[in-house]
Amino acid sequence: MSSPSSGGHRFPLLTACPPALLPYVPRVPPTALPGKVTATTFALEMPCCVFDGHANASDAVWLVVAFANASDAFRNPPSREDVPPYERLPTAHSYMTLEMAAAAYACPAPSPAVLRVGGDTACAGEGGRDPCNGPLPSPGPYRVKFLVMGCHGPKAETRWSDPILLRRAASPSTIDPAPARRDSAAVVITSILASLGAALAAAVLGAVGAEAWGSLCRRDPGNGTFAHRSYRTHHIAPALPQPLPPGCGCNPPGLGCFAPRRPSPCPAE
Amino acid sequence: MAKSDDGIRILQGLLVFGNVVIGMCGIALTAECIFFVSNPHGLYPLLEATENDDIYAAAWIGIFVGFALFALSILGIVAVIKSNRTLLLVYIILMLITYAFEMASSITAATQRDFLTPNLFLKQMLERYNKSEADNNNDKWMTEGVTKTWDKLMLQNQCCGVQGASDWQEYTSAFRRTHNDADYPWPRNCCVMNAQGSPINLDGCKLGVPGYYNSNGCYDAISGPMNTHAWGVAWFGFAILCWTFFVLLGTMFYWSRVEY
């Protein structure tokens, strides 16, 4: 692998023009997508129509990802062989990925409107297969920029983005499942039912107690009972008619028996 | 004499009517509680895993109380018509016992409902969904129940998480330990599926593009049926008890006036 210094000896410094600085700033899409920034990935707006006029169709556009505190120290690689791979992120604090043909960003805008950084889990750890768009190992913050690489080195670059901080997930043990306050309906039901139950129990005890007390003190049946009794009927044989005492001219029997009275003499006329 | 006779007849009629209503309400209570216990929405595993399924206990009590109310109402009608003091006393005592049980059921359903907060289900989902290692058999049973229920819930109701898909991003979870964040920002069942059961656009789902993932939270689908369950048992029980209170008072008055 040629080092930058020997490359500088190989080719005269005059032909290695510094890459054109494009005013475009990469950014996370402003639309509300819950997955645009996760714990190990983030999404970027596609830089459509940004490289027109600065890149041929055969040039490659790379994405440079660096830790926010290491972005100033990043130097553009002079050729494709010097591109820092994904595996060197912990040591080099930067890497390049998402190599795409410049035609992919040409106007009019192609269908996918975002780029997902960190979405490829199959290439992580394989080594050798670059460029690898592997998941980011730490929450960052990161800064990114686009770099157009031609046959002779970098041709154009965009500005660095603002620092992108990935999500840090909290532990579920911090969730408090206790209810905020007691629902009023539960209080109403409990209090009313408790009082009804207590009233019933008191009424039953009172009624049974009064009954027991009354049956202890009472000698004859009370007057307060209504006439709704349960009657038990017994069959009584009808009594035979008694013989009439002599001298009685009573008719019908049973009306009382009186001796017949002589009519009073008529008053003298 | 005739006036008090009329009064008695009216009281008898009222008590019979009251008992008829109690009998019908008892049958309705039994039917309602059987419906809830039969777990029509498949949410019982979630309650079981909270280890606080008292609203189910309240519904079970309601089944037996409803049946007891029906049987006792028939006894009450017979006792009132025959004006038999012993029967009336038996009726009153058994009704009081049933009253106490129904009070317990109603109060339990009303108060335990308060514990079913969104945070409770969120914590349970994060700690149990797709948990790979189990502490014991009971834990394994509850984990499987929670996982199956959530999978079914997310598919049938087109929802994700308790309050939304971001629940899976804001907190670490047992799911996150076995499924990496880049491939599975949230479970697959949060994606909109086609007829064959696979996501229509996996990349869109991972990003959270509307139309390719379920944006609603599942809390409404959980709390709706549970609220209906708890309030159905609590308020209907409360209404029956209020009515039964007056019928019992009338019966006690009637009992105190009947002569042997």
Side-chain angles (χ1 to χ4, degrees), chain A residues 34-35 38-40 114 116 121 170 172 176-177 179 182-183 204 211 226, chain B residues 85 96 114 117 119 169-172 181-183 207 213 231 252 257:
Chain A
T38 72
T40 55
V114 296
R116 194 158 181 250
T121 48
D176 181 20
R182 180 68 74 186
D183 195 7
V204 164
E211 199 60 31
F226 48 80
Chain B
R85 232 164 175 236
L96 277 182
D114 284 345
T117 55
N119 276 352
Q169 284 294 309
E170 279 171 33
Y171 298 97
T172 60
D181 171 82
D183 277 336
L207 271 173
Y213 85 112
W231 291 131
M252 281 193 269
R257 293 281 173 237

PDB file of all heavy atoms in Angstrom, chain A residues 34-35 38-40 114 116 121 170 172 176-177 179 182-183 204 211 226, chain B residues 85 96 114 117 119 169-172 181-183 207 213 231 252 257:
ATOM      1  N   PRO A  34     -39.386   7.045  13.010  1.00  0.00           N
ATOM      2  CA  PRO A  34     -38.864   6.541  14.284  1.00  0.00           C
ATOM      3  C   PRO A  34     -37.568   5.761  14.142  1.00  0.00           C
ATOM      4  O   PRO A  34     -36.833   5.615  15.098  1.00  0.00           O
ATOM      5  CB  PRO A  34     -39.988   5.650  14.810  1.00  0.00           C
ATOM      6  CG  PRO A  34     -40.918   5.455  13.693  1.00  0.00           C
ATOM      7  CD  PRO A  34     -40.717   6.525  12.710  1.00  0.00           C
ATOM      8  N   GLY A  35     -37.269   5.278  12.928  1.00  0.00           N
ATOM      9  CA  GLY A  35     -36.053   4.483  12.781  1.00  0.00           C
ATOM     10  C   GLY A  35     -34.903   5.256  12.173  1.00  0.00           C
ATOM     11  O   GLY A  35     -33.909   4.657  11.786  1.00  0.00           O
ATOM     12  N   THR A  38     -31.159   5.050  15.340  1.00  0.00           N
ATOM     13  CA  THR A  38     -31.339   3.987  16.332  1.00  0.00           C
ATOM     14  C   THR A  38     -30.054   3.889  17.151  1.00  0.00           C
ATOM     15  O   THR A  38     -29.207   4.783  17.096  1.00  0.00           O
ATOM     16  CB  THR A  38     -31.646   2.646  15.663  1.00  0.00           C
ATOM     17  OG1 THR A  38     -30.469   2.163  15.027  1.00  0.00           O
ATOM     18  CG2 THR A  38     -32.759   2.786  14.662  1.00  0.00           C
ATOM     19  N   ALA A  39     -29.876   2.799  17.865  1.00  0.00           N
ATOM     20  CA  ALA A  39     -28.699   2.695  18.720  1.00  0.00           C
ATOM     21  C   ALA A  39     -27.434   2.407  17.916  1.00  0.00           C
ATOM     22  O   ALA A  39     -26.328   2.687  18.392  1.00  0.00           O
ATOM     23  CB  ALA A  39     -28.917   1.590  19.749  1.00  0.00           C
ATOM     24  N   THR A  40     -27.573   1.808  16.721  1.00  0.00           N
ATOM     25  CA  THR A  40     -26.365   1.459  15.969  1.00  0.00           C
ATOM     26  C   THR A  40     -26.416   1.918  14.528  1.00  0.00           C
ATOM     27  O   THR A  40     -25.491   1.660  13.768  1.00  0.00           O
ATOM     28  CB  THR A  40     -26.160  -0.067  15.953  1.00  0.00           C
ATOM     29  OG1 THR A  40     -27.354  -0.674  15.442  1.00  0.00           O
ATOM     30  CG2 THR A  40     -25.902  -0.600  17.348  1.00  0.00           C
ATOM     31  N   VAL A 114     -33.487   7.928   1.271  1.00  0.00           N
ATOM     32  CA  VAL A 114     -32.556   8.032   2.386  1.00  0.00           C
ATOM     33  C   VAL A 114     -31.492   6.956   2.235  1.00  0.00           C
ATOM     34  O   VAL A 114     -31.690   5.939   1.578  1.00  0.00           O
ATOM     35  CB  VAL A 114     -33.243   7.855   3.763  1.00  0.00           C
ATOM     36  CG1 VAL A 114     -34.237   8.973   3.997  1.00  0.00           C
ATOM     37  CG2 VAL A 114     -33.908   6.525   3.855  1.00  0.00           C
ATOM     38  N   ARG A 116     -29.103   4.465   4.576  1.00  0.00           N
ATOM     39  CA  ARG A 116     -29.049   3.965   5.946  1.00  0.00           C
ATOM     40  C   ARG A 116     -27.625   3.543   6.254  1.00  0.00           C
ATOM     41  O   ARG A 116     -27.095   2.609   5.639  1.00  0.00           O
ATOM     42  CB  ARG A 116     -30.007   2.795   6.120  1.00  0.00           C
ATOM     43  CG  ARG A 116     -30.255   2.463   7.555  1.00  0.00           C
ATOM     44  CD  ARG A 116     -31.561   1.701   7.734  1.00  0.00           C
ATOM     45  NE  ARG A 116     -31.788   1.420   9.150  1.00  0.00           N
ATOM     46  CZ  ARG A 116     -31.713   0.208   9.701  1.00  0.00           C
ATOM     47  NH1 ARG A 116     -31.430  -0.831   8.960  1.00  0.00           N
ATOM     48  NH2 ARG A 116     -31.913   0.053  10.998  1.00  0.00           N
ATOM     49  N   THR A 121     -25.503  -6.082   8.528  1.00  0.00           N
ATOM     50  CA  THR A 121     -24.905  -6.860   9.613  1.00  0.00           C
ATOM     51  C   THR A 121     -24.131  -8.057   9.103  1.00  0.00           C
ATOM     52  O   THR A 121     -23.428  -8.705   9.846  1.00  0.00           O
ATOM     53  CB  THR A 121     -26.001  -7.368  10.572  1.00  0.00           C
ATOM     54  OG1 THR A 121     -27.048  -7.947   9.783  1.00  0.00           O
ATOM     55  CG2 THR A 121     -26.576  -6.239  11.386  1.00  0.00           C
ATOM     56  N   ALA A 170     -32.483   3.121  27.695  1.00  0.00           N
ATOM     57  CA  ALA A 170     -32.506   3.000  29.157  1.00  0.00           C
ATOM     58  C   ALA A 170     -32.900   1.574  29.539  1.00  0.00           C
ATOM     59  O   ALA A 170     -33.458   0.833  28.745  1.00  0.00           O
ATOM     60  CB  ALA A 170     -33.503   4.000  29.734  1.00  0.00           C
ATOM     61  N   PRO A 172     -35.175  -1.235  31.374  1.00  0.00           N
ATOM     62  CA  PRO A 172     -36.597  -1.274  31.759  1.00  0.00           C
ATOM     63  C   PRO A 172     -36.813  -1.280  33.261  1.00  0.00           C
ATOM     64  O   PRO A 172     -37.932  -1.028  33.714  1.00  0.00           O
ATOM     65  CB  PRO A 172     -37.113  -2.583  31.141  1.00  0.00           C
ATOM     66  CG  PRO A 172     -35.923  -3.348  30.762  1.00  0.00           C
ATOM     67  CD  PRO A 172     -34.800  -2.406  30.577  1.00  0.00           C
ATOM     68  N   ASP A 176     -41.553   2.667  36.244  1.00  0.00           N
ATOM     69  CA  ASP A 176     -42.312   2.506  37.481  1.00  0.00           C
ATOM     70  C   ASP A 176     -43.738   2.146  37.129  1.00  0.00           C
ATOM     71  O   ASP A 176     -44.480   2.967  36.593  1.00  0.00           O
ATOM     72  CB  ASP A 176     -42.274   3.812  38.275  1.00  0.00           C
ATOM     73  CG  ASP A 176     -43.038   3.681  39.583  1.00  0.00           C
ATOM     74  OD1 ASP A 176     -43.247   2.537  40.031  1.00  0.00           O
ATOM     75  OD2 ASP A 176     -43.425   4.716  40.139  1.00  0.00           O
ATOM     76  N   PRO A 177     -44.163   0.881  37.402  1.00  0.00           N
ATOM     77  CA  PRO A 177     -45.517   0.498  36.983  1.00  0.00           C
ATOM     78  C   PRO A 177     -46.624   0.918  37.927  1.00  0.00           C
ATOM     79  O   PRO A 177     -47.779   0.627  37.668  1.00  0.00           O
ATOM     80  CB  PRO A 177     -45.416  -1.039  36.926  1.00  0.00           C
ATOM     81  CG  PRO A 177     -44.387  -1.378  37.933  1.00  0.00           C
ATOM     82  CD  PRO A 177     -43.424  -0.235  38.013  1.00  0.00           C
ATOM     83  N   PRO A 179     -49.610   2.858  39.730  1.00  0.00           N
ATOM     84  CA  PRO A 179     -50.569   3.814  39.195  1.00  0.00           C
ATOM     85  C   PRO A 179     -50.372   5.191  39.819  1.00  0.00           C
ATOM     86  O   PRO A 179     -49.925   5.314  40.948  1.00  0.00           O
ATOM     87  CB  PRO A 179     -51.930   3.236  39.582  1.00  0.00           C
ATOM     88  CG  PRO A 179     -51.649   2.345  40.732  1.00  0.00           C
ATOM     89  CD  PRO A 179     -50.259   1.839  40.568  1.00  0.00           C
ATOM     90  N   ARG A 182     -55.419   6.876  42.708  1.00  0.00           N
ATOM     91  CA  ARG A 182     -56.540   5.951  42.780  1.00  0.00           C
ATOM     92  C   ARG A 182     -57.701   6.498  41.974  1.00  0.00           C
ATOM     93  O   ARG A 182     -58.009   7.675  42.042  1.00  0.00           O
ATOM     94  CB  ARG A 182     -56.934   5.788  44.257  1.00  0.00           C
ATOM     95  CG  ARG A 182     -58.074   4.856  44.500  1.00  0.00           C
ATOM     96  CD  ARG A 182     -57.735   3.445  44.193  1.00  0.00           C
ATOM     97  NE  ARG A 182     -56.864   2.852  45.185  1.00  0.00           N
ATOM     98  CZ  ARG A 182     -56.343   1.634  45.054  1.00  0.00           C
ATOM     99  NH1 ARG A 182     -56.581   0.941  43.996  1.00  0.00           N
ATOM    100  NH2 ARG A 182     -55.570   1.150  45.981  1.00  0.00           N
ATOM    101  N   ASP A 183     -58.339   5.630  41.201  1.00  0.00           N
ATOM    102  CA  ASP A 183     -59.498   6.032  40.425  1.00  0.00           C
ATOM    103  C   ASP A 183     -60.682   6.301  41.350  1.00  0.00           C
ATOM    104  O   ASP A 183     -60.929   5.536  42.280  1.00  0.00           O
ATOM    105  CB  ASP A 183     -59.832   4.900  39.446  1.00  0.00           C
ATOM    106  CG  ASP A 183     -60.779   5.361  38.365  1.00  0.00           C
ATOM    107  OD1 ASP A 183     -61.046   6.574  38.311  1.00  0.00           O
ATOM    108  OD2 ASP A 183     -61.238   4.523  37.595  1.00  0.00           O
ATOM    109  N   VAL A 204     -79.968  -6.963  60.445  1.00  0.00           N
ATOM    110  CA  VAL A 204     -80.245  -8.367  60.773  1.00  0.00           C
ATOM    111  C   VAL A 204     -80.021  -8.612  62.259  1.00  0.00           C
ATOM    112  O   VAL A 204     -80.844  -9.232  62.941  1.00  0.00           O
ATOM    113  CB  VAL A 204     -79.349  -9.296  59.929  1.00  0.00           C
ATOM    114  CG1 VAL A 204     -79.337 -10.688  60.515  1.00  0.00           C
ATOM    115  CG2 VAL A 204     -79.852  -9.345  58.514  1.00  0.00           C
ATOM    116  N   GLU A 211     -86.227  -9.767  68.338  1.00  0.00           N
ATOM    117  CA  GLU A 211     -87.105 -10.932  68.383  1.00  0.00           C
ATOM    118  C   GLU A 211     -86.792 -11.798  69.601  1.00  0.00           C
ATOM    119  O   GLU A 211     -87.689 -12.230  70.333  1.00  0.00           O
ATOM    120  CB  GLU A 211     -86.890 -11.734  67.100  1.00  0.00           C
ATOM    121  CG  GLU A 211     -87.994 -12.685  66.770  1.00  0.00           C
ATOM    122  CD  GLU A 211     -89.305 -11.981  66.574  1.00  0.00           C
ATOM    123  OE1 GLU A 211     -89.305 -10.821  66.117  1.00  0.00           O
ATOM    124  OE2 GLU A 211     -90.341 -12.567  66.914  1.00  0.00           O
ATOM    125  N   PHE A 226    -100.324  -8.898  62.738  1.00  0.00           N
ATOM    126  CA  PHE A 226    -101.534  -8.824  61.921  1.00  0.00           C
ATOM    127  C   PHE A 226    -102.130 -10.213  61.827  1.00  0.00           C
ATOM    128  O   PHE A 226    -101.522 -11.211  62.201  1.00  0.00           O
ATOM    129  CB  PHE A 226    -101.244  -8.248  60.548  1.00  0.00           C
ATOM    130  CG  PHE A 226    -100.060  -8.883  59.888  1.00  0.00           C
ATOM    131  CD1 PHE A 226    -100.162 -10.120  59.250  1.00  0.00           C
ATOM    132  CD2 PHE A 226     -98.831  -8.255  59.898  1.00  0.00           C
ATOM    133  CE1 PHE A 226     -99.092 -10.692  58.651  1.00  0.00           C
ATOM    134  CE2 PHE A 226     -97.750  -8.829  59.292  1.00  0.00           C
ATOM    135  CZ  PHE A 226     -97.865 -10.040  58.670  1.00  0.00           C
TER     136      PHE A 226
ATOM    137  N   ARG B  85     -91.870 -18.536  58.501  1.00  0.00           N
ATOM    138  CA  ARG B  85     -90.826 -17.799  59.186  1.00  0.00           C
ATOM    139  C   ARG B  85     -89.448 -18.445  59.051  1.00  0.00           C
ATOM    140  O   ARG B  85     -88.432 -17.782  58.876  1.00  0.00           O
ATOM    141  CB  ARG B  85     -91.176 -17.721  60.668  1.00  0.00           C
ATOM    142  CG  ARG B  85     -91.112 -16.340  61.121  1.00  0.00           C
ATOM    143  CD  ARG B  85     -91.774 -16.086  62.401  1.00  0.00           C
ATOM    144  NE  ARG B  85     -91.466 -14.702  62.688  1.00  0.00           N
ATOM    145  CZ  ARG B  85     -90.894 -14.258  63.773  1.00  0.00           C
ATOM    146  NH1 ARG B  85     -90.585 -15.100  64.716  1.00  0.00           N
ATOM    147  NH2 ARG B  85     -90.651 -12.987  63.927  1.00  0.00           N
ATOM    148  N   LEU B  96     -77.378 -13.039  52.939  1.00  0.00           N
ATOM    149  CA  LEU B  96     -76.315 -12.212  53.502  1.00  0.00           C
ATOM    150  C   LEU B  96     -74.936 -12.746  53.134  1.00  0.00           C
ATOM    151  O   LEU B  96     -74.019 -11.988  52.809  1.00  0.00           O
ATOM    152  CB  LEU B  96     -76.442 -12.136  55.023  1.00  0.00           C
ATOM    153  CG  LEU B  96     -77.415 -11.098  55.543  1.00  0.00           C
ATOM    154  CD1 LEU B  96     -77.411 -11.081  57.054  1.00  0.00           C
ATOM    155  CD2 LEU B  96     -77.064  -9.717  55.028  1.00  0.00           C
ATOM    156  N   ASP B 114     -57.140  -0.560  38.725  1.00  0.00           N
ATOM    157  CA  ASP B 114     -56.237   0.586  38.740  1.00  0.00           C
ATOM    158  C   ASP B 114     -54.791   0.196  38.505  1.00  0.00           C
ATOM    159  O   ASP B 114     -53.987   1.018  38.090  1.00  0.00           O
ATOM    160  CB  ASP B 114     -56.330   1.309  40.083  1.00  0.00           C
ATOM    161  CG  ASP B 114     -57.587   2.128  40.188  1.00  0.00           C
ATOM    162  OD1 ASP B 114     -58.209   2.345  39.138  1.00  0.00           O
ATOM    163  OD2 ASP B 114     -57.947   2.529  41.302  1.00  0.00           O
ATOM    164  N   THR B 117     -51.718  -0.360  34.440  1.00  0.00           N
ATOM    165  CA  THR B 117     -51.282   0.875  33.799  1.00  0.00           C
ATOM    166  C   THR B 117     -50.476   0.552  32.542  1.00  0.00           C
ATOM    167  O   THR B 117     -50.000  -0.571  32.381  1.00  0.00           O
ATOM    168  CB  THR B 117     -50.387   1.665  34.757  1.00  0.00           C
ATOM    169  OG1 THR B 117     -49.320   0.798  35.156  1.00  0.00           O
ATOM    170  CG2 THR B 117     -51.155   2.102  35.977  1.00  0.00           C
ATOM    171  N   ASN B 119     -47.492   1.501  31.920  1.00  0.00           N
ATOM    172  CA  ASN B 119     -46.120   1.171  32.314  1.00  0.00           C
ATOM    173  C   ASN B 119     -45.983  -0.267  32.751  1.00  0.00           C
ATOM    174  O   ASN B 119     -44.943  -0.894  32.535  1.00  0.00           O
ATOM    175  CB  ASN B 119     -45.680   2.092  33.454  1.00  0.00           C
ATOM    176  CG  ASN B 119     -45.152   3.409  32.934  1.00  0.00           C
ATOM    177  OD1 ASN B 119     -44.975   3.563  31.738  1.00  0.00           O
ATOM    178  ND2 ASN B 119     -44.908   4.340  33.819  1.00  0.00           N
ATOM    179  N   GLN B 169     -36.977   1.222  21.010  1.00  0.00           N
ATOM    180  CA  GLN B 169     -35.745   1.978  20.875  1.00  0.00           C
ATOM    181  C   GLN B 169     -35.363   2.679  22.162  1.00  0.00           C
ATOM    182  O   GLN B 169     -34.189   2.883  22.443  1.00  0.00           O
ATOM    183  CB  GLN B 169     -35.897   3.027  19.767  1.00  0.00           C
ATOM    184  CG  GLN B 169     -35.826   2.449  18.377  1.00  0.00           C
ATOM    185  CD  GLN B 169     -34.456   1.898  18.110  1.00  0.00           C
ATOM    186  OE1 GLN B 169     -33.467   2.565  18.319  1.00  0.00           O
ATOM    187  NE2 GLN B 169     -34.394   0.656  17.667  1.00  0.00           N
ATOM    188  N   GLU B 170     -36.360   3.072  22.932  1.00  0.00           N
ATOM    189  CA  GLU B 170     -36.047   3.857  24.130  1.00  0.00           C
ATOM    190  C   GLU B 170     -35.499   3.000  25.250  1.00  0.00           C
ATOM    191  O   GLU B 170     -34.813   3.504  26.135  1.00  0.00           O
ATOM    192  CB  GLU B 170     -37.310   4.568  24.623  1.00  0.00           C
ATOM    193  CG  GLU B 170     -37.627   5.826  23.874  1.00  0.00           C
ATOM    194  CD  GLU B 170     -38.982   6.369  24.256  1.00  0.00           C
ATOM    195  OE1 GLU B 170     -39.375   6.208  25.423  1.00  0.00           O
ATOM    196  OE2 GLU B 170     -39.655   6.926  23.380  1.00  0.00           O
ATOM    197  N   TYR B 171     -35.832   1.707  25.257  1.00  0.00           N
ATOM    198  CA  TYR B 171     -35.412   0.844  26.354  1.00  0.00           C
ATOM    199  C   TYR B 171     -34.713  -0.381  25.804  1.00  0.00           C
ATOM    200  O   TYR B 171     -35.043  -0.864  24.729  1.00  0.00           O
ATOM    201  CB  TYR B 171     -36.616   0.389  27.183  1.00  0.00           C
ATOM    202  CG  TYR B 171     -37.352   1.521  27.848  1.00  0.00           C
ATOM    203  CD1 TYR B 171     -38.481   2.058  27.270  1.00  0.00           C
ATOM    204  CD2 TYR B 171     -36.906   2.049  29.054  1.00  0.00           C
ATOM    205  CE1 TYR B 171     -39.156   3.097  27.873  1.00  0.00           C
ATOM    206  CE2 TYR B 171     -37.582   3.085  29.659  1.00  0.00           C
ATOM    207  CZ  TYR B 171     -38.698   3.596  29.071  1.00  0.00           C
ATOM    208  OH  TYR B 171     -39.368   4.624  29.675  1.00  0.00           O
ATOM    209  N   THR B 172     -33.764  -0.898  26.579  1.00  0.00           N
ATOM    210  CA  THR B 172     -33.209  -2.210  26.241  1.00  0.00           C
ATOM    211  C   THR B 172     -34.233  -3.257  26.651  1.00  0.00           C
ATOM    212  O   THR B 172     -35.146  -2.976  27.417  1.00  0.00           O
ATOM    213  CB  THR B 172     -31.895  -2.464  26.988  1.00  0.00           C
ATOM    214  OG1 THR B 172     -32.163  -2.405  28.389  1.00  0.00           O
ATOM    215  CG2 THR B 172     -30.865  -1.436  26.633  1.00  0.00           C
ATOM    216  N   ASP B 181     -29.760  -4.545  16.940  1.00  0.00           N
ATOM    217  CA  ASP B 181     -30.532  -3.328  16.702  1.00  0.00           C
ATOM    218  C   ASP B 181     -30.583  -2.967  15.228  1.00  0.00           C
ATOM    219  O   ASP B 181     -31.568  -2.396  14.760  1.00  0.00           O
ATOM    220  CB  ASP B 181     -29.886  -2.208  17.526  1.00  0.00           C
ATOM    221  CG  ASP B 181     -30.471  -0.866  17.195  1.00  0.00           C
ATOM    222  OD1 ASP B 181     -31.532  -0.557  17.744  1.00  0.00           O
ATOM    223  OD2 ASP B 181     -29.865  -0.138  16.385  1.00  0.00           O
ATOM    224  N   ALA B 182     -29.522  -3.276  14.469  1.00  0.00           N
ATOM    225  CA  ALA B 182     -29.502  -2.840  13.068  1.00  0.00           C
ATOM    226  C   ALA B 182     -30.514  -3.614  12.237  1.00  0.00           C
ATOM    227  O   ALA B 182     -31.197  -3.046  11.383  1.00  0.00           O
ATOM    228  CB  ALA B 182     -28.098  -3.010  12.499  1.00  0.00           C
ATOM    229  N   ASP B 183     -30.643  -4.925  12.493  1.00  0.00           N
ATOM    230  CA  ASP B 183     -31.587  -5.720  11.716  1.00  0.00           C
ATOM    231  C   ASP B 183     -32.998  -5.634  12.265  1.00  0.00           C
ATOM    232  O   ASP B 183     -33.959  -5.760  11.532  1.00  0.00           O
ATOM    233  CB  ASP B 183     -31.163  -7.197  11.721  1.00  0.00           C
ATOM    234  CG  ASP B 183     -30.100  -7.464  10.675  1.00  0.00           C
ATOM    235  OD1 ASP B 183     -30.044  -6.696   9.706  1.00  0.00           O
ATOM    236  OD2 ASP B 183     -29.356  -8.439  10.850  1.00  0.00           O
ATOM    237  N   LEU B 207     -36.787   1.483   8.799  1.00  0.00           N
ATOM    238  CA  LEU B 207     -36.622   2.927   8.948  1.00  0.00           C
ATOM    239  C   LEU B 207     -37.804   3.558   9.656  1.00  0.00           C
ATOM    240  O   LEU B 207     -37.694   4.632  10.228  1.00  0.00           O
ATOM    241  CB  LEU B 207     -36.470   3.567   7.566  1.00  0.00           C
ATOM    242  CG  LEU B 207     -35.056   3.661   7.041  1.00  0.00           C
ATOM    243  CD1 LEU B 207     -35.080   4.159   5.615  1.00  0.00           C
ATOM    244  CD2 LEU B 207     -34.237   4.593   7.899  1.00  0.00           C
ATOM    245  N   TYR B 213     -44.815   0.089   8.445  1.00  0.00           N
ATOM    246  CA  TYR B 213     -44.733  -0.429   9.804  1.00  0.00           C
ATOM    247  C   TYR B 213     -45.977   0.042  10.542  1.00  0.00           C
ATOM    248  O   TYR B 213     -46.683   0.956  10.111  1.00  0.00           O
ATOM    249  CB  TYR B 213     -43.457   0.054  10.505  1.00  0.00           C
ATOM    250  CG  TYR B 213     -43.569   1.417  11.159  1.00  0.00           C
ATOM    251  CD1 TYR B 213     -43.531   1.560  12.529  1.00  0.00           C
ATOM    252  CD2 TYR B 213     -43.721   2.561  10.378  1.00  0.00           C
ATOM    253  CE1 TYR B 213     -43.651   2.790  13.119  1.00  0.00           C
ATOM    254  CE2 TYR B 213     -43.847   3.799  10.970  1.00  0.00           C
ATOM    255  CZ  TYR B 213     -43.811   3.913  12.341  1.00  0.00           C
ATOM    256  OH  TYR B 213     -43.933   5.132  12.932  1.00  0.00           O
ATOM    257  N   TRP B 231     -64.887  -3.246  34.734  1.00  0.00           N
ATOM    258  CA  TRP B 231     -66.032  -2.397  35.057  1.00  0.00           C
ATOM    259  C   TRP B 231     -67.341  -3.156  34.921  1.00  0.00           C
ATOM    260  O   TRP B 231     -68.303  -2.882  35.634  1.00  0.00           O
ATOM    261  CB  TRP B 231     -66.055  -1.141  34.186  1.00  0.00           C
ATOM    262  CG  TRP B 231     -64.952  -0.188  34.494  1.00  0.00           C
ATOM    263  CD1 TRP B 231     -64.115   0.394  33.605  1.00  0.00           C
ATOM    264  CD2 TRP B 231     -64.537   0.283  35.785  1.00  0.00           C
ATOM    265  NE1 TRP B 231     -63.226   1.198  34.257  1.00  0.00           N
ATOM    266  CE2 TRP B 231     -63.453   1.143  35.593  1.00  0.00           C
ATOM    267  CE3 TRP B 231     -64.971   0.047  37.090  1.00  0.00           C
ATOM    268  CZ2 TRP B 231     -62.804   1.785  36.636  1.00  0.00           C
ATOM    269  CZ3 TRP B 231     -64.320   0.686  38.132  1.00  0.00           C
ATOM    270  CH2 TRP B 231     -63.257   1.538  37.893  1.00  0.00           C
ATOM    271  N   MET B 252     -86.731  -8.556  55.783  1.00  0.00           N
ATOM    272  CA  MET B 252     -86.538  -8.596  57.247  1.00  0.00           C
ATOM    273  C   MET B 252     -87.728  -7.975  57.959  1.00  0.00           C
ATOM    274  O   MET B 252     -88.177  -8.510  58.992  1.00  0.00           O
ATOM    275  CB  MET B 252     -85.256  -7.852  57.625  1.00  0.00           C
ATOM    276  CG  MET B 252     -84.033  -8.693  57.383  1.00  0.00           C
ATOM    277  SD  MET B 252     -82.594  -7.992  58.139  1.00  0.00           S
ATOM    278  CE  MET B 252     -81.988  -7.005  56.828  1.00  0.00           C
ATOM    279  N   ARG B 257     -92.802  -9.488  61.135  1.00  0.00           N
ATOM    280  CA  ARG B 257     -94.233  -9.315  61.339  1.00  0.00           C
ATOM    281  C   ARG B 257     -94.993 -10.617  61.207  1.00  0.00           C
ATOM    282  O   ARG B 257     -96.164 -10.681  61.545  1.00  0.00           O
ATOM    283  CB  ARG B 257     -94.783  -8.323  60.301  1.00  0.00           C
ATOM    284  CG  ARG B 257     -94.273  -6.930  60.504  1.00  0.00           C
ATOM    285  CD  ARG B 257     -95.031  -6.261  61.619  1.00  0.00           C
ATOM    286  NE  ARG B 257     -94.439  -4.977  61.948  1.00  0.00           N
ATOM    287  CZ  ARG B 257     -94.010  -4.679  63.169  1.00  0.00           C
ATOM    288  NH1 ARG B 257     -94.068  -5.575  64.131  1.00  0.00           N
ATOM    289  NH2 ARG B 257     -93.526  -3.488  63.422  1.00  0.00           N
TER     290      ARG B 257
END
